[in-house]
């Protein structure tokens, strides 16, 4: 229907209430998705920091006589490579915030 030259849609009260309820539900879903995304980004940051620490430790101890054997080193290197690949995949899916030091959590 047109009113004063503008298109209008007529809804019953029940249809309007359903529309309002759907809008509230959508808002709640969006909030949950944002929280999940933030948690994923925090996990990415921690995983990156852990991977960097493991890589640095591996680099420092890699040539020592007490270092793990070649098979263990290879497994660690493979794991670090896989961790990097998965972090990059998660970063792309989550929208890619740049890495920074993990934030301390209050109350944990």
């Amino acid at each position: 229907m047109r009113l004063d030259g503008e298109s209008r849609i007529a809804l019953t009260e029940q249809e309007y209430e359903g529309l309002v309820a759907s809008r509230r539900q959508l808002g709640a879903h969006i909030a949950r998705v944002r929280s999940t995304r933030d948690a994923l980004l925090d996990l990415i940051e921690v995983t990156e920091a852990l991977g960097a620490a493991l890589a640095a430790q591996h680099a420092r101890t890699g040539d020592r006589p007490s270092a793990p054997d070649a098979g263990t080193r290879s497994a660690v290197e493979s794991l670090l490579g896989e961790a990097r690949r998965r972090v990059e995949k998660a970063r792309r899916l989550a929208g890619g915030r740049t890495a920074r030091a993990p934030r301390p959590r209050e109350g944990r």
Side-chain angles (χ1 to χ4, degrees):
M1 128 176 37
R2 289 188 103 34
L3 183 63
D4 293 331
E6 293 185 28
S7 294
R8 303 289 180 181
I9 297 174
L11 300 174
T12 66
E13 187 175 338
Q14 187 177 14
E15 289 171 328
Y16 179 77
E17 291 300 325
L19 185 61
V20 169
S22 293
R23 186 171 184 209
R24 279 193 302 268
Q25 288 174 351
L26 180 60
H29 287 300
I30 289 171
R32 280 193 293 274
V33 167
R34 284 184 181 147
S35 294
T36 301
R37 179 181 178 271
D38 289 345
L40 177 58
L41 290 170
D42 287 343
L43 179 60
I44 289 168
E45 291 172 4
V46 169
T47 303
E48 284 180 327
L50 178 60
L54 286 171
Q57 178 66 26
H58 180 66
R60 285 193 302 272
T61 61
D63 296 332
R64 291 187 186 158
S66 62
D69 61 28
T72 303
R73 277 196 309 272
S74 175
V76 168
E77 289 167 359
S78 175
L79 179 61
L80 288 172
E82 181 66 13
R84 283 186 205 106
R85 185 188 70 75
R86 289 183 185 197
V87 164
E88 284 307 311
K89 179 180 178 183
R91 180 181 302 290
R92 284 191 307 273
L93 291 172
R97 188 165 69 188
T98 58
R100 63 178 190 271
R103 295 178 298 234
R105 296 281 191 181
E106 292 183 25
R108 284 192 179 178

